[in-house]
């Protein structure tokens, strides 16, 4: 039986919502992943940095920009022992400066995704997928990287219909 892993990076604390800052206890990406978990049988893994970015949004984005420019690979709190049992990986993350957070690169580079299907999902406030799909293909040679789903973060709680269509189009529903 095919197994699916939902691997996600999500940030709570102060976030940007269509022009305003707001404090949230659960990040937008995690909200969408929780919707996915209600729709399909899947294991999940939260990608967490050992030294997280600042809870202050403007400081966080500067830290993320610094890491992007340095091509940093932040240390993670943990990694799954293996991803061998999974055929499909839903990879979810916010758009940080036109791509994935550098911690997601750390996660991807820890495993061989050859022969696996990767379904990218990117939360953002209007910047879409950025170059993240291209970056996943480059980082995971041999993986089948499907067309991603862009979700407006401030609408994460209302994303179920679009998520269902995307999962169905990719054979998971």
């Amino acid at each position: 039986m095919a197994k699916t892993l939902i691997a996600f990076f999500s940030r709570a604390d102060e976030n940007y919502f269509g022009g305003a800052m707001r404090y949230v206890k659960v990040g937008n990406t995690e909200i969408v992943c929780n919707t996915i978990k209600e729709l399909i049988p899947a294991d999940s893994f939260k990608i967490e940095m050992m030294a997280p970015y600042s809870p202050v949004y403007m400081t966080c984005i500067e830290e993320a920009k610094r890491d992007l420019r340095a091509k940093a690979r932040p240390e993670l709190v943990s990694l799954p022992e293996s991803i061998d049992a999974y055929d499909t990986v839903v990879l979810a993350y916010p758009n940080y400066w036109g791509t994935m957070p550098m911690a997601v690169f750390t996660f991807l580079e820890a495993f061989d995704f050859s022969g696996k299907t990767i379904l990218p999902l990117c939360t953002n406030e209007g910047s879409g997928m950025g170059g993240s799909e291209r970056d996943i293909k480059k980082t995971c040679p041999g993986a089948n990287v499907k067309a991603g789903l862009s979700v407006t973060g401030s609408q994460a709680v209302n994303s179920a219909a679009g998520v269902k269509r995307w999962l169905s189009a990719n054979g998971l529903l």
Side-chain angles (χ1 to χ4, degrees):
M1 182 202 285
K3 284 189 73 174
T4 300
L5 174 67
I6 303 166
F8 68 97
F9 180 96
S10 190
R11 184 180 173 282
D13 300 319
E14 187 179 52
N15 271 298
Y16 179 78
F17 288 86
M21 302 299 179
R22 194 170 87 204
Y23 181 86
V24 296
K25 290 184 179 182
V26 178
N28 299 325
T29 307
E30 188 167 358
I31 289 169
V32 179
C33 289
N34 288 338
T35 298
I36 294 171
K37 287 191 281 188
E38 291 174 9
L39 296 169
I40 64 169
D43 295 332
S44 67
F45 177 78
K46 186 172 185 177
I47 301 166
E48 298 178 274
M49 294 170 38
M50 188 70 74
Y53 292 137
S54 171
V56 177
Y57 181 79
M58 295 308 288
T59 304
C60 168
I61 63 171
E62 288 306 315
E63 292 168 340
K65 186 187 333 183
R66 178 201 65 217
D67 280 357
L68 175 65
R69 287 181 176 155
K71 295 183 177 17
R73 297 301 186 260
E75 185 179 356
L76 303 182
V77 171
S78 67
L79 284 165
E81 282 186 36
S82 170
I83 61 162
D84 292 348
Y86 302 102
D87 302 301
T88 302
V89 177
V90 174
L91 183 67
Y93 47 87
N95 184 323
Y96 275 19
W97 298 107
T99 191
M100 306 168 287
M102 300 315 286
V104 178
F105 284 92
T106 303
F107 172 81
L108 291 175
E109 291 171 357
F111 300 102
D112 179 1
F113 286 85
S114 297
K116 298 192 183 304
T117 298
I118 299 176
L119 302 176
L121 184 152
C122 181
T123 58
N124 60 84
E125 281 301 308
S127 51
M129 299 295 294
S132 64
E133 291 163 303
R134 176 196 66 233
D135 292 340
I136 294 167
K137 289 175 183 173
K138 196 167 145 183
T139 306
C140 302
N144 178 14
V145 181
K146 299 283 196 160
L149 177 65
S150 174
V151 175
T152 302
S154 57
Q155 295 300 310
V157 295
N158 302 316
S159 65
V163 168
K164 282 180 186 176
R165 282 191 300 276
W166 180 66
L167 292 172
S168 182
N170 284 290
L172 292 179
L173 252 185

